[in-house]
Amino acid sequence: MDRAVYREMKLTPAVWGIAAVLGALIAAAGLAVLYIEHHGHVVTGMTNQIVWGLPHVFAIFLIVAASGALNVASIASVFGKIENKPMARFSGLLSLALLAGGLAVLVLDLGRPDRLLVTLTHANFKSIFAWNIYLYSGFFAVVGAYIYVQMARGMDPAVVKKVGTAAFVWRLALTTGTGSIFGWLVARPGYDAAIMAPMFIVMSFSFGLAFFLLTISLLYKLSGRYIGPNLVKRLGRLLGIFAAGVLYFSAVRHLTNLYAAEHWDVESFILFSGGFYTQLFWIGQVLIGGVIPMLLLFKHTDGANRGNVLIASVLIIIGGFAHIYGIVIGGQAFPLEIFPNYTASSSFFDGQINGYTPTLLEWALGLGGVAVTLLLTGLGVVALRILAMNLSDRNIDPEDVDF
Amino acid sequence: MKRLFATFLLLIGLIGSMAQAGEDATSSLYPVIPKAAGAPHPEGNDFMRINHKNLLKHDRDLTMRLGDREVKYSLKECIACHAVNGPDAQPVSVKSEKHFCRVCHDYAAVKVDCFQCHNSKPDPDLVKQLTMLPVKDRELAEYLEGASQ
Amino acid sequence: MKLPALNTPLRDLSEVDRREFFKAGGAVATVALSSGVTLMAFGGEASANADPGKRWGMLIDVNKCTSDCNACVTACSKENGWSAEEGSETDAQWIRKVDLTHKQTGREVSLPMMCQHCEDAPCVDVCPTEASFKRPDGIVLVDKHACIGCRFCMMACPYKARSFIHEPLTDQKSNAPRGQGTVESCTLCVHRVDAGGQPACVDACGTTGNGAMLFGDLNDPESDISKALKKFNSIGLRDDLRLNPGVRYSNL
């Protein structure tokens, strides 16, 4: 078996160039935040109808992906797949960076971000948001400890396994919390479903692994290091299973709703008559985010080669973004049913499908969050011994069934 | 380590003595605090200067959370009594440097967060009520003395 | 002449602390007999006005309300200092008139919609900072000192009762402070209720409107509203959610 040697990534001109682009994106996001702070949210596309907009889509995507990016480390430490161990440090780092990026967007979109500390001084433990604050900060502590025990010299592997298990359990709790933000909204017909929590967990597996595969491939290319094709192939197959899982949970969610007459209106909006949201569902989520990547990853002859895995990862991220956009914005676009059996109209847009057009400011803020994630990841691999010098296929157990 | 500790102590001492010196000297930058209508605070101006924020915060929670309208300290009464008129003989808002709150807060460089939600100009109905209160001459004299201290 | 320094140390901290102790709990009532002598009664009623024995509510007779009447909305807007431009998607609306047509029978009705002041308010449950809260007398309010503007309460409210303030504001009413970046909704004119009055919308409905709104204490069996509720059929909106709203509608 190969011994993994970890080294910092060298700062090449290409790395500097990417860092400069990311820095510019973060600066643009900062300016957007100051502008929104000064003028109020009236300068964004968000309204009293669509109260959570594009920044929340970005934030939730990144937070969900954060927990999933820990997959590779969990598979190594908790489930004992030795070939993944050399990637476990990076897996932890990426999950922290994703969470930081997502939280930055979420927090900077608040109406009063200056009062963030109030969340610590006045906590309402009936609120899943308040719980999430502790789940998120706890995640930093647990995964931080997990990276530390992996990197510390002479650490007992049993300790690594224990801390890794704690991180695994914690991230399941974290994504349950994120899904419950929507699952526990009893008032809105588009949400209010217990399946949201497990669905978010499978979404996190899928989006997080896709993000992991893309970033690690980019970093190994940039630093001229080697990743074995079979490693990529195996992770790609796993990604295909996760993508199928997301489709399965979506199908169950919508079929359950279709069975109840009270949910027909909102289901027909999302599935058939919703225009953009219907396209988002069928083309974005199902086709681009599910069917095509699965075809690419499960193809019999040369399935799951490196190119296919990377294309599938990109498609899963696009589809996942569409999925979350559909949940967050689509769920609000459909009006509340306050008066069943009545058609309603008012000056406050009762009974109307609500439109939403995000402005450049929201895009800047959201992309800034992605840039924060990537910059933090880059800083981590440049400053710390996170990345192994090579990820060879020789660590794969030859006895292991290759499905 | 010992040396570090000693340096630290010395620094604290220096800062402390500087603050002491600042208290004795009268700076020309010291703000001119506008006079208020109404009776003076029985607690004294020094006490109010230090504690107004705590008193306001305490009583606002009573009013807002429990509906206690008989509290001793309420922002709208502060504003009604401490209104400063501009050149047009109308009360100025916090946008003006002459506003009662700003005079000290600018000097102390402390941001006031109240007026994003609260009106910084007095409620006309409340001003009427307050100016109708009888003010004894003795109290007024005391107040003026306190204000010019 | 020595000027008072702005950084004079706190002279009488105990004064503030004592007040905190006596007044904050609510379970302790104090009577100051003279300076230095204080009587305390533990377990008594707080001296505050929001009476936990009361529950303020409203009954709206949909048959009396007409589509062309906007008296309640105008009165609320004037009383609380908000205004909504026609067609604006971002302006706050504490109360609105909703016109309804029954899908099967074609019956047309009009009614005012505002915060329903639920007993089990979802907005209070989801608020991470306890800014959304219910007073002891059942009025649901937003503590704008603690609101961070996350809008989770707006997502959770089944009645679309809440608005987010999208722009900087000036010249607010002293009884209805409101500002950019926080969430707000109908306060049931809490300042009028505390002074023994009734909400501005109910007043206006009685004088210039059609007298469709009745306000009172739901816990007092002798109040007009309790008697009316006992006699006539009424519903709370989204009764399926069992939030027990304080606002009820008859003939809907």
Side-chain angles (χ1 to χ4, degrees):
Chain A
M1 194 202 306
D2 273 12
R3 191 170 171 275
V5 179
Y6 301 89
R7 286 285 177 271
E8 297 89 343
M9 195 170 85
K10 285 208 176 68
L11 274 168
T12 58
V15 175
W16 276 116
I18 293 172
V21 172
L22 295 176
L25 281 172
I26 294 169
L31 289 175
V33 169
L34 289 177
Y35 190 78
I36 297 172
E37 274 297 281
H38 185 75
H39 294 275
H41 275 68
V42 71
V43 294
T44 69
M46 287 175 271
T47 62
N48 280 325
Q49 286 61 245
I50 306 289
V51 300
W52 285 352
L54 192 64
H56 301 80
V57 178
F58 271 101
I60 291 164
F61 181 87
L62 291 171
I63 291 169
V64 165
S67 126
L70 205 61
N71 278 336
V72 176
S74 300
I75 294 167
S77 304
V78 183
F79 301 104
K81 291 274 182 223
I82 203 161
E83 72 271 18
N84 282 346
K85 279 220 166 113
M87 296 181 281
R89 294 178 181 187
F90 179 71
S91 171
L93 171 75
L94 184 65
S95 72
L96 289 187
L98 279 163
L99 188 62
L103 287 180
V105 178
L106 197 65
V107 158
L108 290 172
D109 182 72
L110 291 175
R112 298 293 306 253
D114 51 320
R115 289 196 186 145
L116 192 62
L117 277 181
V118 177
T119 56
L120 299 177
T121 55
H122 298 70
N124 168 24
F125 286 105
K126 251 189 140 179
S127 165
I128 185 65
F129 251 29
W131 278 100
N132 280 344
I133 290 160
Y134 293 92
L135 287 171
Y136 295 155
S137 22
F139 189 78
F140 281 109
V142 175
V143 177
Y146 184 31
I147 298 177
Y148 172 79
V149 294
Q150 289 183 69
M151 294 179 73
R153 274 172 207 274
M155 189 60 72
D156 183 354
V159 174
V160 178
K161 183 168 183 176
K162 278 198 182 106
V163 181
T165 309
F168 178 66
V169 173
W170 198 280
R171 72 87 175 263
L172 292 181
L174 181 138
T175 316
T176 304
T178 312
S180 301
I181 290 174
F182 296 98
W184 294 359
L185 282 177
V186 292
R188 295 203 182 239
Y191 308 135
D192 181 29
I195 201 171
M196 284 287 190
M199 186 174 79
F200 267 61
I201 290 180
V202 181
M203 283 157 71
S204 84
F205 288 169
S206 172
F207 310 163
L209 187 56
F211 210 93
F212 175 89
L213 282 164
L214 286 178
T215 40
I216 201 167
S217 305
L218 176 72
L219 288 171
Y220 272 67
K221 189 157 185 88
L222 277 174
S223 54
R225 300 183 196 183
Y226 172 81
I227 309 183
N230 280 333
L231 267 182
V232 177
K233 182 175 164 186
R234 288 166 69 96
L235 288 176
R237 292 254 167 100
L238 192 60
L239 184 63
I241 292 171
F242 290 157
V246 174
L247 273 188
Y248 167 76
F249 272 88
S250 298
V252 173
R253 174 179 165 225
H254 289 292
L255 286 172
T256 311
N257 274 349
L258 281 172
Y259 208 79
E262 61 165 330
H263 295 309
W264 284 355
D265 289 346
V266 67
E267 282 305 320
S268 82
F269 173 71
I270 296 289
L271 300 180
F272 308 112
S273 63
F276 176 65
Y277 299 102
T278 302
Q279 289 171 10
L280 213 56
F281 178 79
W282 289 111
I283 301 174
Q285 185 192 332
V286 175
L287 201 65
I288 298 176
V291 176
I292 300 177
M294 279 164 68
L295 287 176
L296 283 172
L297 296 168
F298 292 144
K299 223 164 50 171
H300 240 295
T301 46
D302 63 343
N305 65 37
R306 192 187 307 264
N308 278 357
V309 170
L310 293 184
I311 294 168
S313 298
V314 172
L315 293 179
I316 281 175
I317 285 176
I318 294 170
F321 195 81
H323 190 174
I324 293 181
Y325 195 99
I327 290 177
V328 177
I329 316 283
Q332 299 173 82
F334 189 77
L336 283 168
E337 272 197 34
I338 309 171
F339 310 96
N341 288 325
Y342 282 95
T343 52
S345 70
S346 77
S347 58
F348 209 41
F349 308 98
D350 281 283
Q352 287 183 30
I353 303 289
N354 303 301
Y356 172 62
T357 315
T359 62
L360 207 58
L361 294 165
E362 285 138 293
W363 282 107
L365 177 53
L367 288 172
V370 180
V372 166
T373 294
L374 294 175
L375 194 68
L376 285 178
T377 311
L379 274 175
V381 296
V382 165
L384 300 169
R385 298 187 170 175
I386 296 282
L387 292 179
M389 286 307 282
N390 81 73
L391 296 169
S392 86
D393 286 340
R394 269 174 290 180
N395 286 333
I396 300 173
D397 182 358
E399 301 288 305
D400 209 357
V401 192
D402 192 54
F403 41 84
Chain B
M1 191 64 210
K2 246 182 202 165
R3 193 178 293 174
L4 193 75
F5 188 64
T7 321
F8 190 62
L9 277 183
L10 190 71
L11 261 176
I12 291 177
L14 267 176
I15 293 166
S17 59
M18 274 161 69
Q20 204 67 37
E23 221 171 281
D24 291 328
T26 303
S27 163
S28 59
L29 296 172
Y30 196 86
V32 181
I33 299 161
K35 291 184 175 63
H41 296 292
E43 301 90 339
N45 289 348
D46 279 4
F47 180 81
M48 290 310 285
R49 237 159 249 162
I50 300 297
N51 293 311
H52 63 282
K53 52 198 185 286
N54 301 329
L55 300 168
L56 275 172
K57 185 173 178 234
H58 175 262
D59 284 6
R60 91 169 187 214
D61 286 344
L62 288 179
T63 304
M64 189 186 50
R65 300 244 163 201
L66 299 172
D68 186 350
R69 301 272 166 181
E70 317 251 279
V71 293
K72 209 168 157 193
Y73 306 98
S74 85
L75 185 65
K76 52 185 175 187
E77 281 177 37
C78 300
I79 289 175
C81 256
H82 286 285
V84 176
N85 285 344
D88 57 351
Q90 291 299 308
V92 297
S93 82
V94 79
K95 284 200 181 103
S96 158
E97 280 181 11
K98 293 203 167 86
H99 189 271
F100 178 78
C101 301
R102 270 196 68 180
V103 170
C104 291
H105 274 268
D106 282 0
Y107 174 75
V110 177
K111 195 183 155 209
V112 202
D113 202 21
C114 305
F115 302 114
Q116 287 213 10
C117 290
H118 290 278
N119 198 337
S120 58
K121 289 189 286 187
D123 181 340
D125 298 338
L126 202 61
V127 175
K128 248 181 260 163
Q129 275 176 36
L130 286 171
T131 46
M132 273 157 59
L133 288 172
V135 180
K136 286 181 203 151
D137 289 345
R138 193 181 53 80
E139 280 178 350
L140 189 66
E142 258 177 24
Y143 170 74
L144 290 175
E145 198 193 324
S148 63
Q149 221 179 60
Chain C
M1 190 177 70
K2 191 190 161 199
L3 281 165
L6 286 170
N7 58 349
T8 314
L10 191 62
R11 202 170 52 193
D12 195 358
L13 185 67
S14 61
E15 170 66 20
V16 178
D17 287 345
R18 208 166 54 203
R19 290 178 49 85
E20 299 269 351
F21 172 66
F22 288 145
K23 294 199 88 179
V28 185
T30 63
V31 186
L33 296 176
S34 66
S35 63
V37 184
T38 311
L39 273 186
M40 274 187 278
F42 285 91
E45 280 294 298
S47 62
N49 284 341
D51 183 348
K54 285 187 162 58
R55 174 140 194 249
W56 297 114
M58 222 186 261
L59 175 63
I60 293 160
D61 186 345
V62 175
N63 272 356
K64 287 185 186 159
C65 186
T66 56
S67 178
D68 57 345
C69 176
N70 219 26
C72 52
V73 179
T74 318
C76 176
S77 151
K78 186 162 171 266
E79 177 75 23
N80 295 301
W82 59 270
S83 63
E85 216 170 274
E86 207 183 316
S88 164
E89 292 181 310
T90 48
D91 284 348
Q93 296 196 26
W94 290 23
I95 183 171
R96 62 188 188 271
K97 284 297 299 294
V98 183
D99 292 323
L100 300 171
T101 311
H102 197 280
K103 282 177 190 160
Q104 282 93 46
T105 63
R107 181 186 177 220
E108 289 188 359
V109 288
S110 180
L111 51 79
M113 265 303 284
M114 72 295 272
C115 172
Q116 306 284 301
H117 298 279
C118 309
E119 185 181 3
D120 296 307
C123 57
V124 175
D125 287 348
V126 301
C127 177
T129 63
E130 295 185 317
S132 239
F133 70 101
K134 197 177 63 160
R135 288 205 332 173
D137 55 3
I139 299 178
V140 175
L141 295 174
V142 181
D143 176 353
K144 280 159 202 174
H145 307 100
C147 176
I148 56 173
C150 73
R151 288 104 85 196
F152 200 15
C153 56
M154 299 177 71
M155 295 289 281
C157 177
Y159 307 111
K160 200 164 185 278
R162 290 208 157 166
S163 304
F164 181 65
I165 306 183
H166 287 77
E167 284 166 281
L169 298 176
T170 51
D171 276 332
Q172 297 91 332
K173 297 280 176 188
S174 73
N175 286 319
R178 43 196 301 266
Q180 183 198 328
T182 57
V183 173
E184 62 180 4
S185 58
C186 155
T187 64
L188 214 63
C189 281
V190 69
H191 55 285
R192 285 165 149 254
V193 174
D194 282 346
Q198 57 179 2
C201 55
V202 181
D203 267 353
C205 187
T207 52
T208 56
N210 299 306
M213 299 168 97
L214 188 60
F215 173 81
D217 179 9
L218 302 175
N219 283 352
D220 174 10
E222 295 307 311
S223 66
D224 289 347
I225 189 170
S226 294
K227 285 180 190 160
L229 283 168
K230 201 169 177 184
K231 204 164 159 193
F232 303 111
N233 182 33
S234 69
I235 58 154
L237 298 179
R238 292 295 311 265
D239 263 345
D240 56 318
L241 298 174
R242 306 224 177 157
L243 306 174
N244 188 9
V247 180
R248 299 186 65 85
Y249 294 81
S250 60
N251 295 312
L252 181 62

